[in-house]
Amino acid sequence: DLGEHDGYAPLYSDFDSFYIRRLQHRIRDCFSRPTVGVPGRYITLINRSSNDYNNTFTEDGTTTSCLNLSSYNYLGFAQSVGQCTDAAEDYINEYGISSGASRATTGTLDAHVLCEDVVADFVGKESSMLFSMGYGTNASIFSSLVDKNCLVISDELNHASIRFGSRLSGAVIKIFKHNDMHDLEKLLREQISQGQPRTHRPWKKILLVVEGLYSMEGTMTNLPRLVELRKKYKFYLFVDEAHSVGAMGPRGRGVCDYFSIDTSNVDILMGTLTKSFGATGGFVAADKAIIDRIRLTNMGSNYAEAMSPPVLGQIFSSLKTITGEINPGEGDERLQRLAFNSRYLRLGLKRLGFIVYGIDDSPIIPLLLYQPSKMPAFSRLMLEKKIAVVVVGYPATPLTSSRVRFCLSSSLTKADLDELLAATNEIGDKICLKYGSGIASDS
Ligand code: PMP
């Protein structure tokens, strides 16, 4: 039975090519396994063997604990020991698990309101709003900001949630080459004059959308130049700080902190609470009038359950640790450890002859594997060494620039990184990954 139903093609028939399905299967067999326990410095994978072509697996009840380079846990707050979990537990005891309604009805707890103030204060904006899901934040807020008479200008590598949300708004979308400020300015000039007298602006509003730190590339947006262009061309600037808030800048406040740029230069700061804070959900921060408008009109919060109370406890706990309000000194130590780990690993990989993408300070380090066939090979060999990594390839990357992304955390020690470097070196030699090895090339 191929799944055909009354002459119709099966629902999954267009899903993927045979080639991609086979590749997915081989990767899932290896790294995309169910896990148990807390994904902190170590992650525990359930062992399983592949039943090959039928896409099923057999588990034998055993597990493998691996050094974890695969989770977004920049500041180590995912760990189960310590006051973060205690805070979540306190919130369960006080509020339960569910607030039982959407924010627009009776689902707003005093803790939601307080948490929004704390988040706004942390990122340096007047007001903020929480969402239960980071993806859902982007998916729903664009419709509150722009409509079909507006233009969204988007970096070509923006996250799927941004692409989805901006399409849903009905705005016209134009793409510029990743981080290419010349291409962006050319597009701005075209869109603002568009054959009209120079003074005529054909769009009701222009919203420019970028990410702070690009997690597939390890690159950072050119915020200083964007701020200049914003003044010149008078667009609104939206920055998705999913990977930069909590992780970048001397005080962990994100890209503005990193570049020492006042947050008034960015109109909308969006972020997730999943990566640096060890929680779940997303937020959007801006002037109060903008947040009030989003609160009133967006579907993702008005028609959805409010953020779960223990999550609020976890956010408070992580944020207050970063600012030093609780456990003075610990937040700075975590930030410094993350910054050290990021540079140490990147430099080590470069010295060994690997091609890595991105800026020196990026806590995500993409290492080029090139061919898709090297993805399962690399993750399988890493797993043999009890190291968990994430490999990514087409369609998330171009076909010939498959990569492994090392996700750093302040919870990793120098000895952990030395172990990782030794393993990568050995595997790199085995499957010809280093620059000049004949197969690898920096194209
Ligand atoms: N924005 C960006 C840039 C992301 O990378 C992600 C997820 N990795 C999201 C939004 C969605 O966030 P979440 O995983 O918290 O739903």
Coordinates of all heavy atoms in Angstrom, one line a residue, residues 72 133-136 138 159 161-162 211 215 240 242-243 270 272-275 281, ligand 1:
Y72 N 20.7 24.5 22.6 CA 20.9 26.0 22.8 C 20.8 26.2 24.3 O 19.7 26.2 24.9 CB 19.8 26.8 22.2 CG 19.7 26.6 20.7 CD1 18.5 26.2 20.1 CD2 20.8 26.9 19.9 CE1 18.4 26.1 18.7 CE2 20.7 26.8 18.5 CZ 19.6 26.4 17.9 OH 19.5 26.3 16.6
M133 N 5.5 30.9 22.8 CA 6.4 30.2 21.9 C 7.2 31.3 21.1 O 6.6 32.2 20.6 CB 5.5 29.4 20.9 CG 6.2 28.5 20.0 SD 4.9 27.7 18.9 CE 5.8 26.8 17.8
G134 N 8.5 31.0 20.9 CA 9.3 31.9 20.1 C 8.8 32.0 18.7 O 8.7 33.1 18.1
Y135 N 8.6 30.8 18.1 CA 8.2 30.8 16.7 C 6.9 31.5 16.5 O 6.7 32.3 15.6 CB 8.0 29.3 16.3 CG 7.8 29.1 14.8 CD1 8.8 28.8 13.9 CD2 6.5 29.3 14.3 CE1 8.6 28.7 12.6 CE2 6.3 29.2 12.9 CZ 7.3 28.9 12.1 OH 7.1 28.8 10.7
G136 N 6.0 31.3 17.5 CA 4.6 31.9 17.4 C 4.7 33.4 17.6 O 3.8 34.1 17.1
N138 N 7.1 35.5 16.3 CA 7.3 36.0 15.0 C 6.1 35.7 14.0 O 5.7 36.5 13.2 CB 8.5 35.4 14.3 CG 9.8 36.2 14.8 OD1 9.7 37.3 15.2 ND2 10.9 35.5 14.8
H159 N 15.2 33.7 9.8 CA 14.6 32.4 10.3 C 13.2 32.2 9.7 O 12.5 33.1 9.3 CB 14.5 32.5 11.8 CG 14.1 31.3 12.5 ND1 12.8 31.0 13.0 CD2 14.8 30.1 12.7 CE1 12.8 29.8 13.5 NE2 14.0 29.3 13.4
S161 N 10.5 31.5 11.0 CA 9.3 32.1 11.7 C 9.1 33.5 11.2 O 8.0 34.0 11.1 CB 9.6 32.1 13.2 OG 10.8 32.7 13.5
I162 N 10.2 34.2 10.9 CA 10.1 35.6 10.3 C 9.5 35.5 8.9 O 8.6 36.3 8.6 CB 11.5 36.2 10.2 CG1 12.1 36.4 11.6 CG2 11.5 37.6 9.5 CD1 13.6 36.9 11.7
E211 N 18.2 39.4 11.9 CA 18.5 38.7 13.1 C 19.7 39.3 13.7 O 20.6 39.8 13.0 CB 18.7 37.2 12.9 CG 17.5 36.5 12.5 CD 17.8 35.0 12.3 OE1 18.6 34.4 13.0 OE2 17.1 34.4 11.4
S215 N 22.1 31.9 13.4 CA 22.6 30.6 14.0 C 23.1 29.6 13.0 O 23.7 28.7 13.4 CB 21.4 30.0 14.8 OG 20.4 29.6 14.0
D240 N 15.5 40.4 15.4 CA 15.2 39.1 16.1 C 16.5 38.7 16.9 O 17.5 38.4 16.3 CB 14.8 38.0 15.1 CG 14.6 36.7 15.8 OD1 15.2 36.4 16.8 OD2 13.9 35.9 15.1
A242 N 16.8 36.2 19.0 CA 16.7 34.8 19.6 C 18.1 34.3 20.1 O 18.2 33.7 21.1 CB 16.1 33.9 18.5
H243 N 19.1 34.5 19.3 CA 20.4 33.9 19.6 C 21.4 34.9 20.3 O 22.5 34.5 20.7 CB 21.1 33.3 18.4 CG 20.3 32.1 17.9 ND1 20.5 30.8 18.4 CD2 19.3 32.0 17.0 CE1 19.7 30.0 17.8 NE2 18.9 30.7 16.9
M270 N 12.8 41.6 19.1 CA 12.1 40.4 19.4 C 13.2 39.4 20.0 O 14.3 39.5 19.6 CB 11.5 39.9 18.1 CG 10.8 38.5 18.2 SD 11.9 37.2 17.9 CE 11.0 35.8 18.4
T272 N 13.8 35.2 22.0 CA 13.2 34.0 22.6 C 13.8 33.8 24.0 O 14.8 34.3 24.3 CB 13.4 32.7 21.7 OG1 14.8 32.5 21.7 CG2 12.9 32.9 20.3
L273 N 13.0 33.0 24.8 CA 13.5 32.8 26.1 C 14.0 31.4 26.2 O 14.3 30.9 27.3 CB 12.3 33.0 27.1 CG 11.8 34.5 26.9 CD1 10.3 34.6 27.2 CD2 12.6 35.4 27.8
T274 N 14.1 30.7 25.1 CA 14.5 29.3 25.0 C 16.0 29.1 25.1 O 16.5 28.1 25.6 CB 14.0 28.7 23.7 OG1 14.1 29.7 22.7 CG2 12.6 28.3 23.8
K275 N 16.8 30.0 24.5 CA 18.2 29.7 24.3 C 19.1 30.1 25.5 O 19.8 29.3 26.0 CB 18.6 30.4 23.0 CG 18.1 29.6 21.8 CD 17.3 30.4 20.9 CE 16.9 29.6 19.7 NZ 15.6 29.2 19.5
G281 N 9.4 30.1 25.2 CA 8.6 31.2 24.8 C 9.4 32.3 24.2 O 10.6 32.2 23.9
Ligands
PMP1 N1 13.9 33.2 15.8 C1 15.1 32.7 15.5 C2 16.1 33.5 14.8 C3 15.3 31.3 15.8 O1 16.5 30.8 15.6 C4 14.3 30.6 16.5 C5 14.5 29.1 16.8 N2 15.7 28.6 16.8 C6 13.1 31.2 16.7 C7 12.9 32.5 16.3 C8 11.9 30.4 17.3 O2 12.1 30.3 18.7 P1 11.6 29.1 19.6 O3 12.5 28.0 19.3 O4 11.8 29.7 21.0 O5 10.2 28.9 19.3

